[in-house]
Amino acid sequence: MSDHFAEFSMPDTDLTRKAYDLVFSLGPVPLARHSVRTYLFGRAIGESRGLRPGAGYDDETLFLASLLHDVGLTERGDGGGRFEVDGADLAAGFLCQNGADDERVRVVWEAIALHTSVGIAHRMRPEIALTHAGTGADIVALGAGALPAGLADRAHAAFPREDAGRRLTEIMLDQIVRNPAKAPIGSFPGELARQHGAGAPVPEWAKLVAAAWPGVH
């Protein structure tokens, strides 16, 4: 069996191997494979911007954030909040249990919590910005033109898509239907719920403003 760590020059440490095994054990497999491609595409986009692993950012931290960024969509990671924050909490717990220092835990938490936050994540430190970029490249091909020739084909051969975008969307919507609080107004899950008619009705902003502080002038 091919060792994908060697095949793709992924950071090979005890912690990254444990994270890889954790993601594939939590399932579903299309989500885990999406997470690996997120790392591969995020790293490549970083290189297109002049960021080199080990020089422009910490490659192990990017790998951990990318591999763990969707664990909030697993049964174990399904908590009471939006999936990004639930996943960030699960990842932070895993890292603490495995001896990661506070700074790495903080960066991974932020990368996962912000990975769907368009307009914010790209302004953060490289590990956070590239986790965001890698997810966008894999799910909707955002920025995919920056990938080097052949990388996407190699990544898809090693980690098949299996309609990952649709599968992840179904999981998010299922979580929202069961717990509308997972789709707060203005969030990515909230917009997904609006487009699919899921979750709780969204109050109109003008009505919220008009109803605030009655009798106060």
Side-chain angles (χ1 to χ4, degrees):
M1 179 181 295
S2 173
D3 185 338
H4 295 312
F5 278 80
E7 180 183 357
F8 290 97
S9 299
M10 297 190 295
D12 193 353
T13 67
D14 181 60
L15 186 54
T16 59
R17 291 273 181 173
K18 286 182 177 179
Y20 185 96
D21 290 343
L22 173 66
V23 170
F24 277 89
S25 71
L26 292 176
V29 171
L31 182 149
R33 289 172 172 167
H34 154 65
S35 299
V36 180
R37 294 193 306 270
T38 290
Y39 165 74
L40 297 175
F41 294 166
R43 180 181 66 181
I45 289 172
E47 290 177 351
S48 77
R49 300 172 181 173
L51 295 170
R52 298 289 182 268
Y57 62 90
D58 185 85
D59 196 32
E60 186 177 17
T61 299
L62 174 61
F63 181 91
L64 293 168
S66 297
L67 263 288
L68 298 169
H69 82 273
D70 269 347
V71 292
L73 295 176
T74 67
E75 183 176 355
R76 177 173 162 186
D78 185 3
R82 50 190 286 186
F83 83 93
E84 304 98 315
V85 176
D86 286 343
D89 288 345
L90 191 158
F94 164 79
L95 293 176
C96 289
Q97 292 169 7
N98 285 278
D101 61 65
D102 290 346
E103 174 66 6
R104 172 167 285 178
V105 173
R106 181 184 67 82
V107 174
V108 171
W109 190 95
E110 291 178 357
I112 295 173
L114 292 171
H115 81 266
T116 65
S117 297
V118 177
I120 298 175
H122 78 285
R123 296 286 297 270
M124 306 296 282
R125 58 186 289 166
E127 295 89 349
I128 299 172
L130 296 181
T131 300
H132 170 68
T135 61
D138 188 58
I139 293 297
V140 295
L142 184 65
L147 301 177
L151 176 61
D153 289 339
R154 292 176 56 220
H156 289 139
F159 304 100
R161 294 196 71 80
E162 297 180 292
D163 205 5
R166 181 183 61 82
R167 297 284 295 278
L168 268 64
T169 300
E170 290 174 347
I171 295 171
M172 282 184 263
L173 290 172
D174 180 64
Q175 287 189 347
I176 292 166
V177 168
R178 287 185 282 108
N179 180 8
K182 297 183 75 67
I185 184 172
S187 68
F188 171 69
E191 174 59 18
L192 200 65
R194 185 192 67 81
Q195 291 185 18
H196 289 82
V202 177
E204 293 183 22
W205 178 252
K207 291 181 178 180
L208 289 174
V209 172
W213 297 102
V216 177
H217 300 287

